[in-house]
Amino acid sequence: MASKYSKDLLLTMYRKMYLMRRFEERAGQQYGLGKIAGFCHLYIGQEAVAAGVEEAIRPDDYMLSGYRDHAQPLARGSDPGMVMAELFGRTGGYSKGKGGSMHIFDIENHFYGGYGIVGAQIGLAAGMAFASRYRNEDRITVCYFGDAAANQGIFHETLNMAVKWKLPVLYICENNRYGMGTAIARTSAVPEIHKRGEGFGMRHEAVDGMDVLKMYEAVKDAAAYIRAGNGPVLMEANTYRFRGHSMADPATYRTKQEVEDERKNDPIPRLKDYAIKQKLAKEEEFDAIEEEVKAQVDAAVKFADESPEPDLAELWKDTIVEEGEEDVRPRERVLGQKVTKWPKYPSGQELKVTWDLEPREQADKADKAAGLKR
Amino acid sequence: MAELMYREALNQALAEEMERDANVFLIGEEVGRYQGAFKVSQGLLDKFGSARIIDAPISELGFTGLGVGAAMVGLRPVVEMMTWNFAILAMDQIVNNAAKLRHMSGGQLRCPIVFRGPGGAGGRLSSQHSQALEANYAHFPGLKVIAPATPADAKGLLKSAIRDENPVIMIEGERLYALKGEVPEGEHIVPIGKADVKREGKDVSLITWSRMYYFCEEAAKQLEAEGISVEILDLRTLRPLDEEAILATVRKTNRAVVVEEGWPLAGVGAQVVDIIQSKAFDDLDAPVVRVTGLDVNMSYAANLENAIQPDAPKIIAAVKKVLYREGA
């Protein structure tokens, strides 16, 4: 049977996954060399999730993540050199070296940040989705979070509002089975995170997060559902991180056997095998992509290494917006590239939305009939 | 000029700013159909509809996070805290997100949001509903903190806060909502960061904000009768502090008493004293004295509640102390 996927789609997803993998391997290496400090949470093993999501949504959809946030912006199209420079704490980074590993922001590409407090981005995502509905835009917000974040209060508080107000948000729980060093089953009454959507009357589903095509299909479907105004979706991508929680974690809480077994599921060779078996692409084409990506990552490390440390005067900038202060466009500042994708927000248009899902007139009438008044 | 209650002045500011900018919306518990727990949002639902006056579930952390997210993409939310006591549940979103977004993004993001609601003690509400928490927020870079004493300042500062490109914490006086004062109509703006000399004097400066201003006035009147001329500086903004105004009043009177409703340790008043001693030490004729709430939890019992809070007699005693008068 012929594949229903185009060669272009498969190669694009492969390129993105391979870029994430090589980038993260080099980041790990640079951490070992002392070029990167702090915490450095690698995404290795989880690439199918970000690659599948990215091809299934629109580039102008909003996205945010937790602290494992280097790879998702790469899938969006962020510059690998600027992400690496951020990890190095250099001026060439997206946040001029002020955010570091856990706080990658690339607003041009609609990546609204990584957040270091577990689950905190779940509330922000609802707000961004709220803004889309408020302005009658049809973009959705994709919010990544980990399995452990589902035990935070904000998860429950936000899901309740998201459903009640039909917010156009796709919550993707990347369940890699461990919240830092503790297996999720040890801390969660119901370790199948997606089932928690049930209590909020929310559409929910589990997906094999080690299979980029399954992710792609599931997200395409969910995004169409959300864009049509049906409200949020809770998707659990069952995935696995091949490395520890961060570079500081030797991951002794799981067996070698477990990791070896999971490595057999590696999404990157899986996609390659599929494409070759389907005769959609040849081995040499993958080799060529790999060579290109390797050179790209080498260049990224070189760019980061050559980028200067921030000036001490930078300490006093970017905390408060001073009066009349211009917005800073990172790509223009760092690479001298003219920015065309900087978001513009419509304002002042007539609002058609209501958050009160009970029709207002009906409620007023019922109040009046019952002798209630405001 | 119209005489308005403090709550009406706030209501007017909200209505005018919502009229001016469709990106401004109000969200909080009971702000809509109930018309506001303290009636600040009275009538706004009818005026602006349920698209912009939004009744939130009792989920402070959740709806605060939602507000911050909306501000990140260009809306201008006003998040009402039913009281600042409950906002402690929302502290993570205010402090870890709103205050730090601009820095962590290297200037890519702005977070134009106002968190507002009543603060302060009194009314026999015991420990959990009776606290002056402004020092908590004044501590964090990335936030602005305002605490107006009069209806006119309440209107002018709220309008500034809504137009500000940064997250602003507005602590209103829960005990001041029914207080009346003259409020200019229409475009009345009080800039954030500017203190106000509410009473001119030459012997001693009382430096204060919010409800404590009224105790200072009461003390000043009694002291004038004794021939002591009192200047009152209402800080109005607690972050950033108006250092110039603090130093100017101290240089004028050479004596200062700082009056604060909250607890003494790490209070805003401690910072005011530090500014004075480090920049105007040579102008001082006496050590600065602080009058603060007692360093205990608030009691329900009426006499204990009164004893915990600053009042005019405590302020008078402090003034006499810095003047080396009897009874101090």
Side-chain angles (χ1 to χ4, degrees), chain A residues 70-320:
Chain A
H70 317 154
Q72 295 129 352
L74 295 177
R76 300 235 86 183
S78 297
D79 187 276
M82 288 177 70
V83 179
M84 192 65 87
E86 190 58 38
L87 302 186
F88 276 46
R90 304 294 176 87
T91 45
Y94 274 100
S95 301
K96 309 174 191 171
K98 295 174 179 182
S101 166
M102 294 187 280
H103 311 296
I104 306 294
F105 287 80
D106 175 5
I107 305 311
E108 256 178 85
N109 282 306
H110 306 284
F111 187 79
Y112 277 79
Y115 295 85
I117 306 296
V118 174
Q121 73 276 19
I122 295 172
L124 300 179
M128 292 165 67
F130 174 95
S132 298
R133 221 159 102 59
Y134 190 94
R135 299 188 184 106
N136 203 22
E137 296 174 323
D138 69 343
R139 51 157 63 114
I140 67 169
T141 298
V142 174
C143 178
Y144 292 102
F145 60 98
D147 37 83
N151 288 333
Q152 288 276 30
I154 192 152
F155 173 81
H156 302 271
E157 294 193 17
T158 305
L159 260 50
N160 176 55
M161 292 187 296
V163 174
K164 188 71 194 157
W165 293 333
K166 294 196 175 195
L167 301 182
V169 56
L170 172 57
Y171 283 113
I172 299 184
C173 174
E174 293 188 274
N175 187 344
N176 63 22
R177 289 200 252 156
Y178 295 90
M180 210 178 131
T182 302
I184 193 67
R186 291 179 62 208
T187 52
S188 295
V190 178
E192 298 97 335
I193 306 300
H194 74 97
K195 287 187 182 167
R196 298 185 189 189
E198 197 64 36
F200 297 101
M202 182 173 181
R203 173 171 154 177
H204 59 93
E205 61 208 89
V207 184
D208 178 359
M210 301 302 270
D211 184 333
V212 68
L213 294 171
K214 290 209 172 107
M215 277 309 301
Y216 170 76
E217 291 293 350
V219 173
K220 235 174 99 170
D221 194 53
Y225 170 90
I226 295 164
R227 235 183 278 281
N230 294 307
V233 171
L234 176 60
M235 183 179 288
E236 180 175 8
N238 288 301
T239 182
Y240 197 79
R241 60 168 151 81
F242 295 161
R243 302 284 193 97
H245 168 72
S246 74
M247 284 301 293
D249 169 25
T252 49
Y253 44 82
R254 52 190 198 184
T255 62
K256 274 199 175 112
Q257 190 59 48
E258 178 182 310
V259 180
E260 268 170 36
D261 287 349
E262 290 300 331
R263 276 188 181 277
K264 287 175 196 148
N265 267 330
D266 192 328
I268 299 179
R270 243 171 112 171
L271 178 64
K272 192 200 270 191
D273 290 348
Y274 173 83
I276 290 170
K277 274 192 192 123
Q278 294 286 324
K279 299 195 182 354
L280 279 166
K282 296 196 183 80
E283 191 83 44
E284 303 87 78
E285 289 174 282
F286 288 101
D287 292 346
I289 288 174
E290 290 173 12
E291 284 313 308
E292 279 167 36
V293 169
K294 276 179 201 164
Q296 197 183 2
V297 174
D298 284 346
V301 174
K302 187 164 181 284
F303 173 82
D305 218 9
E306 287 171 357
S307 178
E309 284 189 316
D311 195 277
L312 281 182
E314 277 294 325
L315 273 177
W316 302 101
K317 296 177 186 164
D318 301 327
T319 293
I320 285 281

Side-chain angles (χ1 to χ4, degrees), chain A residues 22-42 44 70 84 86-89 100-102 243 245-250 301 304-305:
Chain A
R22 291 299 299 187
F23 182 95
E24 291 287 65
E25 282 171 356
R26 286 304 293 279
Q29 183 195 46
Q30 297 301 306
Y31 188 92
L33 293 171
K35 300 269 187 179
I36 296 172
F39 296 133
C40 181
H41 310 92
L42 301 181
I44 293 174
H70 317 154
M84 192 65 87
E86 190 58 38
L87 302 186
F88 276 46
S101 166
M102 294 187 280
R243 302 284 193 97
H245 168 72
S246 74
M247 284 301 293
D249 169 25
V301 174
D305 218 9

Side-chain angles (χ1 to χ4, degrees), chain B residues 43-62:
Chain B
L44 295 183
L45 178 63
D46 281 333
K47 208 164 182 172
F48 296 103
S50 54
R52 297 176 70 193
I53 303 293
I54 301 153
D55 282 320
I58 301 182
S59 299
E60 283 82 5
L61 181 64

Side-chain angles (χ1 to χ4, degrees), chain B residues 109-121:
Chain B
L109 283 181
R110 293 178 176 209
C111 191
I113 187 169
V114 179
F115 307 100
R116 49 152 291 273

Side-chain angles (χ1 to χ4, degrees), chain A residues 95 134-135 157 321 325 367, chain B residues 22 33 62 73 104 110 166:
Chain A
S95 301
Y134 190 94
R135 299 188 184 106
E157 294 193 17
V321 186
E325 189 179 336
D367 281 1
Chain B
R33 291 175 70 81
V73 289
M104 298 192 304
R110 293 178 176 209
N166 299 287

